[in-house]
């Protein structure tokens, strides 16, 4: 399918299955609630740790070690709360994404390839979304942890080389040059790597939902999909980046206007509704763009599966491609 038609098909699927947008928004709210709930006890524990640190003299390394030992349970509690909160938030996101991905895959699979209508792409039903989420969330949870964990691990490896190299330099100028070069390289690696890992993970999630394969099989097959269709996936990703940058530039410009207005206005509170509306619009557009991108990749994954001879609907009666007409 040509890129222009693919974009149109994904946009129609996004609008046809519009309740998924509300589900994604609700998921973001739920993850925010989890984060806020975790912050409260973490801040309290940090305050206790800070009070303990203020009563300790850290002039020697042994004093630091003694303080760490005496507060080991406090530090472990902070780490445990943060870890549990992150795991719970990722689990919510995995369940939501599994359900959403299943609906978009079904919608693309069921609709005609050429002449379709939005009604053809309407596949959302609450029980169908729940079925996809319940069947795939655990493996998607593992996919997120493996892909992003591997990326963060690879991202820290240059630090193991740069930091000792900086410490070995005698000249402050050389240390500054190496440090700045390392910072620039790290920032570029973070940006480029994050984009690639995001696309890689999204396709791996779709592969897992589409094929009900194992975690590592889905991760490996996502590489095959990217290598098999680099042009369309690259253009879709570039379009996503351009939309995000345009949205960010618009929001930044509007924020400057609002800030200037509130600065010179005698009643700055009058500009608060404009800031709230801008924030809500940003969130809504981000959700729509993210859903459109996932729907676009759903078509790519379905076409990749068809090219590899994955059984079609008449030979694959199980979810997510049931032929029962439910």
């Amino acid at each position: 399918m040509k890129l222009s038609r693919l974009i149109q098909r994904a946009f129609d699927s996004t609008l046809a299955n519009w309740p998924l947008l509300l589900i994604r928004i609700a998921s973001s709210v739920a993850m925010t609630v989890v984060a806020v709930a975790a912050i409260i006890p973490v801040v309290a524990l940090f305050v206790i740790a800070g009070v303990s640190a203020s009563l300790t003299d850290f002039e020697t390394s042994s004093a630091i070690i003694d303080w760490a030992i005496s507060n080991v349970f406090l530090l472990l509690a902070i780490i445990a709360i943060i870890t549990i909160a992150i795991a719970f938030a990722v689990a919510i996101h995995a369940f939501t994404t599994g359900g959403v991905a299943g609906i978009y895959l079904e919608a693309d699979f069921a609709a005609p390839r050429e002449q379709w209508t939005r009604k053809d792409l309407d596949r959302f039903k609450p029980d169908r979304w729940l079925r996809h989420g319940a069947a795939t969330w655990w493996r998607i949870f593992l996919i997120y942890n493996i892909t992003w964990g591997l990326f963060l691990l690879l991202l820290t490896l240059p630090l193991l080389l740069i930091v000792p190299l900086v410490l070995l330099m005698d000249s402050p100028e050389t240390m500054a040059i190496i440090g700045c070069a390392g910072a620039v390289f790290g920032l570029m690696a973070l940006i480029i790597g994050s984009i690639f890992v995001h696309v890689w993970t999204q396709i791996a999630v779709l592969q897992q939902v589409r094929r009900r394969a194992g975690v590592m099989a889905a991760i490996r097959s996502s590489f095959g999909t990217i290598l098999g269709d680099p042009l369309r996936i690259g253009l879709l990703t570039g379009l996503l980046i351009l939309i995000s940058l345009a949205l960010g530039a618009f929001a930044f410009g509007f924020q400057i206007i609002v800030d200037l207005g509130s600065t010179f206005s005698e009643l700055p509170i009058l500009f608060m509704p404009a800031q709230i509306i801008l924030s809500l619009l940003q969130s809504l557009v981000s959700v729509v763009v993210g859903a459109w991108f996932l729907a676009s990749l759903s078509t790519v994954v379905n076409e990749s599966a068809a090219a590899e001879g994955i059984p079609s609907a008449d030979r694959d009666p199980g979810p997510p491609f049931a032929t029962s007409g439910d």
Side-chain angles (χ1 to χ4, degrees):
M1 183 179 295
K2 292 182 179 180
L3 181 63
S4 59
R5 296 286 289 168
L6 189 152
I7 291 173
Q8 180 184 352
R9 186 181 182 87
F11 188 71
D12 287 341
S13 181
T14 302
L15 294 181
N17 298 284
W18 61 268
L20 296 178
L21 301 177
L22 301 181
I23 290 175
R24 289 169 66 94
I25 293 174
S27 173
S28 299
V29 172
M31 289 189 291
T32 302
V33 170
V34 171
V36 172
I39 286 174
I40 296 175
V42 167
V43 170
L45 292 175
F46 267 118
V47 170
I48 297 174
V51 172
S52 175
S54 65
L55 301 176
T56 304
D57 186 4
F58 291 112
E59 292 184 356
T60 62
S61 58
S62 60
I64 299 176
I65 295 174
D66 291 339
W67 177 85
I69 293 175
S70 62
N71 293 272
V72 62
F73 292 108
L74 187 66
L75 298 175
L76 289 176
I78 293 174
I79 295 173
I81 293 173
I82 294 175
T83 302
I84 293 172
I86 293 175
F88 195 61
V90 173
I92 293 173
H93 185 64
F95 190 102
T96 302
T97 303
V100 171
I103 298 298
Y104 285 145
L105 284 166
E106 280 197 51
D108 175 75
F109 193 88
R113 305 311 297 173
E114 293 299 331
Q115 301 298 326
W116 69 82
T117 64
R118 287 182 183 173
K119 186 176 181 180
D120 295 329
L121 293 163
D122 183 7
R123 295 288 293 174
F124 174 78
K125 286 185 178 179
D127 60 329
R128 183 177 288 145
W129 172 79
L130 287 170
R131 185 178 68 220
H132 286 302
T136 61
W137 78 269
W138 173 244
R139 290 181 177 177
I140 294 176
F141 177 84
L142 295 178
I143 288 173
Y144 281 136
N145 281 275
I146 292 172
T147 55
W148 285 104
L150 180 61
F151 169 63
L152 293 176
L153 178 62
L154 294 176
L155 199 63
T156 58
L157 290 179
L159 294 177
L160 301 179
L161 299 176
I162 294 174
V163 172
L165 188 61
V166 170
L167 295 177
L168 290 175
M169 294 295 104
D170 296 330
S171 171
E173 293 80 6
T174 305
M175 294 175 64
I177 292 173
I178 295 176
C180 291
V184 171
F185 173 79
L187 181 60
M188 292 179 60
L190 177 62
I191 295 174
I192 297 174
S194 296
I195 295 172
F196 175 79
V197 174
H198 174 70
V199 176
W200 176 33
T201 304
Q202 292 285 78
I203 295 177
V205 168
L206 289 166
Q207 291 284 18
Q208 203 288 313
V209 176
R210 174 65 178 83
R211 307 181 185 210
R212 292 293 195 265
V215 172
M216 297 310 299
I219 292 175
R220 287 193 301 268
S221 63
S222 65
F223 268 117
T225 302
I226 294 173
L227 294 176
D229 198 358
L231 181 59
R232 285 197 305 175
I233 293 175
L235 291 174
L236 284 172
T237 304
L239 183 59
L240 174 68
I241 295 172
L242 288 176
I243 294 174
S244 301
L245 291 175
L247 177 63
F250 173 78
F252 180 72
F254 190 82
Q255 186 64 47
I256 291 177
I257 295 174
V258 171
D259 290 342
L260 289 175
S262 60
T263 299
F264 293 104
S265 174
E266 296 181 357
L267 295 174
I269 195 173
L270 294 177
F271 290 86
M272 187 175 296
Q275 293 177 324
I276 296 174
I277 293 173
L278 175 63
S279 178
L280 293 175
L281 286 176
Q282 279 185 274
S283 301
L284 179 60
V285 173
S286 297
V287 169
V288 172
V289 172
W292 161 81
F293 187 66
L294 187 62
S296 300
L297 293 179
S298 298
T299 300
V300 173
V301 168
N302 272 339
E303 292 182 347
S304 173
E308 295 177 23
I310 302 299
S312 58
D314 59 346
R315 289 172 288 163
D316 184 15
F321 304 102
T323 58
S324 59
D326 58 340

